[in-house]
Every structure is written in structure tokens, then in C-alpha cells.
């Protein structure tokens, strides 16, 4: 026995030497931790090899020699446990199988996440206090990290919204209503829901997430219809108006009755609901004298009232869905209209109109000239009879009434102030009232106004764009034809003269000689003689003309300043405007050496004296330069075309 005790450890050591072994086969590794060194060492017997079995976690491990390495960065959210199966083989025979297990430890590395970013919730206005508006299951966030406890808080975005809503608890994100809602004050509120995976804000690591809650207050049907105008009202209650009116006995008014303080009108007290209101008469009439429009609320008469009487009607306004209604009183007094007279709103009306205005022109309001002068009277007892009031002017034929508008009845030619009396008569009660019109006739600032077109005339003046375009085309064509005709007629009538004058103008520009005697700026009397005949009379040349000797070049200016020799005495005297006036033409013929001067006497038909001023010899040498002008002059008829002087 003692020998076996000595041999047992040896046998065990020998057995171990024949199989693979690892020092530790269970490990714990935090997620996101990178293992740079070997995870475990494998003791492999001589002649054997160690490999990873197929049941190992894919791609998680690798073996280099006899070292086992972790091949990935552990992630708790992907794998909480990694397993390596080791096989020791001798040849193809598996001698030993080993299992190495790695537990991945979770760390707080993920933020929580809400299932939404924006949540819009309709909350009825009449929701009870402490009601859960949104349950916890619809608001709670999810955290992938195992064992994390989430903490929720609510922050207001709309100021004051935090006083209406709260969370059931820090770890229970159910939304609760804390106070009554008011649609008129708070129609929409926004809150920010925040979640944290640590209780302390400054804890590390710590992650948060947020989501927005929008609470839209849906109006509830809380109030009945309100008859307007309310005698008293706030946002929650209205003391309904009561209506009064009067009708004349013996008359059935065709139009809806005019009531005080206004027509029967009701609205839904809940503006957000705004149900349509239907009207009906509940009590107050047995004979059906009055009827009310179900949709409009207009009160009308179905028959006349023969004698004075007071009707007290109970009128109901009910929502179209029948959920709520309210009632009010309508008092109608039927009384005799005898003695009821209309009343003007003003004792005197002031207007203006332009002088020479056409008949039918509106008189303008003196206070507001852009508006017509309008007179208006009303029956204080029966306002429903105002439409039965007619107007007329009683004492001035220059004006007339067109309904309530004042118009001219004659053309006003004198400036000044006109007065007229206007009478208003109630055709039902025969009551009358009078007022004064003070109308000032003013000098017009522009064209005298005309009476406005009648409806048929206004319709006649409406033209389409096509009509206007066609009219414009026709007028343009006629204008073009007229211009062509004027050009042709002008060419036939004045073409030769224009051609002649054009040639002389060119000749004048070519020559620089000028008669200085007629360039004096003080000589302004160029008007024709007072007794000019319709046309000039051409005078024959004198019997023995003697042209003067040409003056030297340096004295030409002084010689030209005085009258030419042989001029009539009246021309030399330079007398009154009725005296003989001289006209020195600036025409120079190329074959003559001077200018032509013509004097006319008091009678344009008198014989004309002609004096020719010869130019110096150098000028004559230049005559060929302007020979083109010779043919247009027509002076060859005077004879001596080659001479140095010309007589007219």
C-alpha cells in the first residue's frame, strides 16, 4: 500500500502529460475592453496539436501556437457570453476537448431612447383633474444597458404649462392633469420630457434623452347659445339680450322687423365648438301674427294687428346638434301710427356744386366733398317705416331729390348760395318733417361736371379689348393716310420753292461775304409794310442803271453800312415804320460780282428800285465754285446773263 501511494502521483503526472490542459477555463471581461495579451495558455502534450472546435463562438477567438486570444472587443448588447471549444489531436484523432467560457460584463455605455421625438395629444377641455392624459407605457424610454434605472423629469416649454401637467413619479412617466383646462386661455401647450440613466446629473458615465409633448386642448361643449349683445358677459357666462320693437296697427310690414338693441342673433357660447343655432318661437302668440326665420332669426309679420296690443314672445336658440339651448324675451308693441312724424337728423344740410353743372349732377357734401349730399329722416316710433319715407324739394326748382340724394334740376349759371326746403313724408302715417338745404354754387376747378350715365349708357360704354384694338388700328391707318396725303399736297404746292431755298442756303454757307449794314442787332423792324398786297409785283429794270464802283477790300464794311447809291430818299431817311423799308438779299449769283438790294415803298405795288452792289474782282473769280445754283435762280429772263449786275 505504501508503494502504491508513492506511485499514484507519478501515475497522475504521467496521465496529465498525455492530455491538453489550461490553467483557468472561466473568465470575466467588461464590454468594450480590448484584450491585447493571450487570454489563456494551453498545455499541449508532445506529438499533439490544439485547434478551435466548430462549436466555438464565431470569430471570437484565435489560437497562436499554444496561446488562446480574444479576437473581438466584447459588447454586452451583442453577446453576453463567449465560448471557445479546444480540441487536442494526435494526428486526426481527438485526444482531449476543453471548454473556455468568457462572461461579458455590462457597463453603462448606451443612452436611453424614447419611442418618439414629438408626441401630439388632444386633451378634452372638460377632462377631470388627476386624470391620466398619457399612460406610462406610451411615454417610457428604453435603455439597452442591463439593470439601468431610468429617471424622468418634465420641463415646460410653454410658460405656465407646468402647472397643468405633471408625471406620476420620477420612475413612472405617466402624464397627469393637475388643474382644469381653459380653451380660451390655453389652446396648446408644449412640454419637454427628459430621461436620465443615473439619478445624479453629474454622475459619470451618464446618458440622457429628450422628447417633446404637445398638448392641444380640444374645446368641449360647455356653454349654451348666447343671444347678442349680452347684457353682461365674460369668457364663461352671458346674460342674454332682450329685444323690443314696435309695429303700426292696421299695417303688415313686409320686411323683417327692426328691433332694439339689434336683430335677434345668437352664437354658440363655445367658440371652439361653434355649433349652428336654430331659432323658434316657444310662446307668446296664439294667432301666429309673427314668424321667425329658423336660420336667420329675422322676425316678420304674417298679418296686421287691428288694434293696439303688446306681444311678449319667448324665443329659443338651440344648437343644431340639440345638445344645448337658451331662451330670451322679445317684446313687440302694436300701436296706432296716427300722429307719428319723421325726424331729420340735421336741421340744415350743407352742400356744394360747380357752376354750369349739367342737369342731374349730384350735389356734393360740403364737409366731405368726395361724397354726395344725402339727407335722411327716420320715424322715432316705428323704425320699420323708415323705408316708407319719401323726400321732395318744395321751394327751389334748381334742385330735386333722387331718393336721399340731392341733384341739380337746372343748369346753374350764377355763383352764390342757394337755399331749398326738403320735405320728408311717411307714406304710411302721412307724417311730414322739413329741413333746409344750403347749397353753394362754386366756380369749377376743371370741366363742368355732367350727370352720371344711366345704367344702359354705362353698359353701352363697355368695350372689349378686341373692340378697342380694332378701333385703334383703323384710326392709325386713317392717320397714316392723312399724313401721306399732306406730304403729297405739300410737295406739289411748295416743292419748287423748297428746292430753290435749299439751294440758296447751301450757297450762303459756301460764301463768307455778308452785308454788315443789315446785321445790326438793334434792327428789329423786319415786319412787312402795313398795306401789303396779296403778292409781290415784279418791277422792270431802270432804263440806265449805273452800278457803283467796287469799294476797296478794307473799306467794304463801311461802304456796306450806308444805303446804296441810287436808293430812294425814303430809304435813306430811315423814317417811321410806314416809310420805305429796304431788304437786302444775301443772294449772290456766281456770274455776278455783287448782291441785289430791293427797296419797297409804302405801297407794295409801287415800282421797285434795284441797286446792284458789285463785289471785288476776287469774288468773281470764285463764281465757278457755285455754278450749280445758277439754274435754280431763274434770273436769265432779265437779259445779260453774262453781265456783272442783276436788276429786279
Amino acid at each position: 500500500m505504501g508503494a502504491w501511494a508513492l506511485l499514484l502521483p507519478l501515475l497522475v503526472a504521467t496521465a496529465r502529460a498525455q492530455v491538453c490542459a489550461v490553467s483557468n477555463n472561466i473568465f470575466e471581461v467588461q464590454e468594450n475592453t480590448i484584450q491585447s495579451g493571450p487570454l489563456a495558455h494551453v498545455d499541449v502534450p508532445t506529438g499533439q496539436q490544439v485547434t478551435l472546435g466548430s462549436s466555438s463562438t464565431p470569430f471570437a477567438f484565435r489560437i497562436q501556437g499554444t496561446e488562446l486570444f480574444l479576437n473581438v472587443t466584447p459588447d454586452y448588447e451583442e453577446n453576453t457570453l463567449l465560448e471557445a471549444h479546444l480540441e487536442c489531436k494526435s494526428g486526426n484523432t481527438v485526444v482531449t476537448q476543453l471548454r473556455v467560457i468568457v462572461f461579458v460584463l455590462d457597463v453603462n455605455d448606451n443612452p436611453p431612447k424614447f419611442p418618439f421625438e414629438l408626441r401630439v395629444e388632444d386633451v378634452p377641455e372638460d377632462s377631470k383633474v388627476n386624470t391620466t392624459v398619457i399612460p406610462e407605457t406610451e411615454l417610457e424610454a428604453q435603455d439597452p444597458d442591463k439593470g439601468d434605472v431610468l429617471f424622468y423629469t418634465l420641463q415646460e416649454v410653454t410658460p405656465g404649462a407646468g402647472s397643468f401637467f405633471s408625471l406620476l413619479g420620477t420612475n413612472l412617466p405617466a402624464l397627469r392633469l393637475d388643474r382644469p383646462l381653459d380653451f380660451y386661455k390655453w389652446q396648446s401647450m408644449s412640454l419637454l420630457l427628459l430621461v436620465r440613466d443615473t439619478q445624479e446629473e453629474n454622475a459619470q458615465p451618464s446618458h440622457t434623452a429628450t422628447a417633446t409633448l404637445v398638448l392641444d386642448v380640444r374645446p368641449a361643449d360647455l356653454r349654451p347659445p348666447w343671444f347678442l349683445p349680452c347684457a353682461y358677459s365674460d369668457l364663461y357666462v352671458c346674460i342674454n339680450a332682450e329685444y323690443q320693437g314696435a309695429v303700426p296697427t292696421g299695417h303688415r310690414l313686409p320686411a323683417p322687423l327692426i328691433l332694439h338693441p339689434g336683430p335677434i342673433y345668437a352664437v354658440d357660447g363655445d367658440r371652439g365648438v361653434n355649433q349652428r343655432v336654430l331659432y323658434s318661437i316657444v310662446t307668446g302668440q296664439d294667432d301666429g301674427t309673427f314668424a321667425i326665420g329658423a336660420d336667420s332669426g329675422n322676425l316678420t309679420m304674417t298679418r296686421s294687428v287691428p288694434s293696439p296690443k303688446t306681444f311678449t314672445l319667448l324665443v329659443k336658440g338651440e344648437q343644431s346638434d340639440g345638445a344645448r339651448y337658451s331662451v330670451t324675451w322679445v317684446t313687440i308693441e302694436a300701436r296706432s301710427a296716427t300722429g307719428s312724424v319723421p325726424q331729420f337728423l340735421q336741421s340744415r344740410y350743407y352742400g356744394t356744386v360747380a357752376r354750369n353743372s349739367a342737369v342731374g349732377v349730384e350735389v356734393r357734401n360740403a364737409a366731405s366733398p368726395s361724397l354726395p349730399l344725402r339727407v335722411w329722416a327716420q320715424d322715432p316710433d316705428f323704425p320699420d317705416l323708415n323705408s316708407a319715407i319719401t323726400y321732395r324739394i318744395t321751394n327751389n326748382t334748381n334742385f330735386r331729390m333722387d331718393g336721399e340724394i340731392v341733384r341739380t334740376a337746372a343748369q346753374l349759371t350764377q355763383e352764390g348760395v342757394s337755399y331749398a326746403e326738403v320735405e320728408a313724408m311717411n307714406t304710411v302715417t302721412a307724417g311730414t318733417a322739413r329741413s333746409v338745404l344750403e347749397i353753394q354754387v362754386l366756380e369749377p376747378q376743371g370741366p363742368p361736371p355732367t350727370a352720371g350715365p344711366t345704367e344702359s349708357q354705362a353698359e353701352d360704354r363697355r368695350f372689349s379689348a378686341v373692340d378697342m384694338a380694332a378701333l385703334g388700328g383703323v384710326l392709325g391707318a386713317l392717320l397714316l393716310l392723312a399724313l401721306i396725303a399732306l406730304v403729297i399736297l405739300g410737295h406739289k404746292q411748295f416743292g419748287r420753292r423748297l428746292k430753290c431755298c435749299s439751294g440758296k442756303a447751301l450757297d450762303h454757307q459756301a460764301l463768307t461775304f455778308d452785308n454788315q449794314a443789315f446785321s445790326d442787332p438793334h434792327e428789329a423792324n423786319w415786319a412787312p409794310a402795313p398795306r401789303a398786297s396779296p403778292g409781290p409785283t415784279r418791277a422792270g429794270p431802270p432804263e440806265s442803271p449805273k452800278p457803283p464802283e467796287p469799294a476797296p477790300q478794307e473799306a467794304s464794311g463801311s461802304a456796306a453800312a450806308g444805303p446804296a447809291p441810287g436808293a430812294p430818299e425814303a430809304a435813306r431817311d430811315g423814317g417811321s415804320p410806314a416809310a420805305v423799308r429796304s431788304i437786302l438779299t444775301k443772294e449772290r449769283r456766281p456770274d455776278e460780282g455783287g448782291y441785289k438790294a430791293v427797296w419797297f415803298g409804302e405801297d407794295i405795288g409801287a415800282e421797285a428800285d434795284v441797286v446792284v452792289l458789285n463785289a471785288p474782282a476776287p469774288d468773281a473769280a470764285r463764281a465757278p465754285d457755285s455754278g450749280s445754283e445758277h439754274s435754280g435762280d431763274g434770273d436769265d429772263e432779265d437779259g445779260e446773263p453774262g453781265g456783272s449786275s442783276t436788276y429786279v
Side-chain angles (χ1 to χ4, degrees), residues 7-94:
L7 290 174
L8 183 60
L10 180 62
L11 292 174
V12 171
T14 302
R16 287 182 176 179
Q18 301 299 320
V19 296
C20 294
V22 292
S23 58
N24 189 4
N25 62 345
I26 297 177
F27 300 90
E28 289 183 348
V29 179
Q30 286 189 345
E31 65 173 328
N32 305 324
T33 302
I34 300 176
Q35 297 287 331
S36 59
L39 183 66
H41 175 76
V42 183
D43 294 327
V44 181
T46 303
Q48 295 184 19
Q49 301 85 30
V50 61
T51 61
L52 286 173
S54 60
S55 59
S56 301
T57 302
F59 312 108
F61 301 94
R62 74 179 186 274
I63 293 179
Q64 292 180 356
T66 60
E67 305 291 338
L68 178 64
F69 288 87
L70 193 59
N71 202 37
V72 295
T73 301
D75 188 351
Y76 178 84
E77 286 71 38
E78 292 183 2
N79 290 298
T80 59
L81 183 144
L82 303 175
E83 189 173 359
H85 292 270
L86 303 179
E87 294 179 349
C88 291
K89 295 180 180 180
S90 176
N92 293 328
T93 302
V94 176

Side-chain angles (χ1 to χ4, degrees), residues 69-124:
F69 288 87
L70 193 59
N71 202 37
V72 295
T73 301
D75 188 351
Y76 178 84
E77 286 71 38
E78 292 183 2
N79 290 298
T80 59
L81 183 144
L82 303 175
E83 189 173 359
H85 292 270
L86 303 179
E87 294 179 349
C88 291
K89 295 180 180 180
S90 176
N92 293 328
T93 302
V94 176
V95 178
T96 307
Q97 290 184 344
L98 299 174
R99 177 178 293 182
V100 177
I101 298 175
V102 178
F103 291 98
V104 180
L105 301 180
D106 185 28
V107 296
N108 186 13
D109 63 340
N110 292 288
K113 185 177 181 180
F114 284 106
F116 57 87
E117 294 182 359
L118 175 67
R119 172 74 179 266
V120 180
E121 188 75 16
D122 289 338
V123 184

Side-chain angles (χ1 to χ4, degrees), residues 314-329:
L314 184 64
V315 175
K316 180 173 72 172
E318 185 176 13
Q319 293 179 187
S320 59
D321 60 358
R324 299 181 182 276
Y325 72 90
S326 60
V327 295
T328 189
W329 295 107

Side-chain angles (χ1 to χ4, degrees), residues 99-421:
R99 177 178 293 182
V100 177
I101 298 175
V102 178
F103 291 98
V104 180
L105 301 180
D106 185 28
V107 296
N108 186 13
D109 63 340
N110 292 288
K113 185 177 181 180
F114 284 106
F116 57 87
E117 294 182 359
L118 175 67
R119 172 74 179 266
V120 180
E121 188 75 16
D122 289 338
V123 184
E125 181 185 12
D126 56 351
S127 297
K128 303 299 182 182
V129 175
N130 294 326
T131 299
T132 298
V133 178
I134 305 177
E136 173 189 359
T137 55
E138 298 181 15
L139 292 181
E140 62 182 355
Q142 301 298 325
D143 192 339
D145 296 326
K146 180 183 178 180
D148 281 358
V149 179
L150 301 180
F151 301 87
Y152 298 88
T153 57
L154 197 63
Q155 300 175 357
E156 63 180 28
V157 177
T158 302
S163 63
F164 286 91
F165 301 95
S166 65
L167 298 176
L168 288 180
T170 303
N171 306 114
L172 297 175
L175 190 66
R176 177 181 58 194
L177 180 64
D178 294 337
R179 55 179 287 194
L181 297 172
D182 189 340
F183 174 78
Y184 298 106
K185 294 182 178 179
W186 305 90
Q187 298 184 6
S188 181
M189 290 173 276
S190 297
L191 298 166
L192 186 68
L193 181 61
L194 183 143
V195 62
R196 182 182 295 105
D197 57 10
T198 59
Q199 187 172 5
E200 296 80 15
E201 294 184 8
N202 299 327
Q204 294 296 332
S206 180
H207 305 89
T208 61
T210 59
T212 301
L213 301 177
V214 177
L215 292 311
D216 290 335
V217 180
R218 187 174 68 247
D221 194 355
L222 303 176
R223 304 165 185 85
W226 293 353
F227 283 95
L228 304 181
C230 299
Y232 167 82
S233 67
D234 54 21
L235 296 176
Y236 310 101
V237 67
C238 168
I239 298 179
N240 291 328
E242 296 184 0
Y243 305 93
Q244 299 85 33
V247 296
T249 56
H251 298 279
R252 175 184 173 273
L253 301 178
L257 301 185
I258 299 176
L259 304 176
H260 180 79
I264 299 173
Y265 180 63
V267 297
D268 192 337
D270 301 296
R271 290 179 297 176
V273 177
N274 198 24
Q275 281 283 333
R276 187 165 58 98
V277 178
L278 302 178
Y279 305 91
S280 61
I281 298 176
V282 180
T283 59
Q285 59 171 0
D286 299 330
D287 54 358
T289 304
F290 300 97
I292 192 169
D295 294 314
S296 64
N298 289 333
L299 193 66
T300 56
M301 296 183 69
T302 60
R303 65 186 67 183
S304 62
V305 181
S307 59
K309 183 179 180 180
T310 299
F311 296 85
T312 303
L313 309 178
L314 184 64
V315 175
K316 180 173 72 172
E318 185 176 13
Q319 293 179 187
S320 59
D321 60 358
R324 299 181 182 276
Y325 72 90
S326 60
V327 295
T328 189
W329 295 107
V330 179
T331 303
I332 305 296
E333 183 180 358
R335 59 175 181 263
S336 175
T338 303
S340 178
V341 296
Q343 293 181 359
F344 280 99
L345 299 183
Q346 299 175 219
S347 60
R348 179 168 297 196
Y349 294 84
Y350 299 90
T352 62
V353 68
R355 187 175 65 86
N356 290 328
S357 296
V359 176
V361 171
E362 292 179 346
V363 176
R364 313 309 293 179
N365 191 319
S368 302
S370 61
L371 301 176
L373 179 61
R374 184 185 300 271
V375 298
W376 190 66
Q378 61 181 357
D379 195 310
D381 298 321
F382 303 100
D384 297 277
L385 300 181
N386 290 341
S387 59
I389 298 176
T390 60
Y391 304 89
R392 70 185 184 96
I393 292 178
T394 61
N395 62 349
N396 194 324
T397 58
N398 290 329
F399 303 96
R400 64 179 178 86
M401 295 301 301
D402 182 8
E404 301 170 356
I405 304 297
V406 183
R407 295 184 181 271
T408 58
Q411 188 173 17
L412 307 176
T413 59
Q414 299 294 329
E415 293 186 52
V417 178
S418 295
Y419 295 91
E421 181 185 70

Side-chain angles (χ1 to χ4, degrees), residues 605-626:
E607 183 178 357
D609 294 331
V610 178
V611 176
V612 176
L613 302 179
N614 292 329
D619 293 341
R622 299 176 192 165
D625 294 339
S626 56

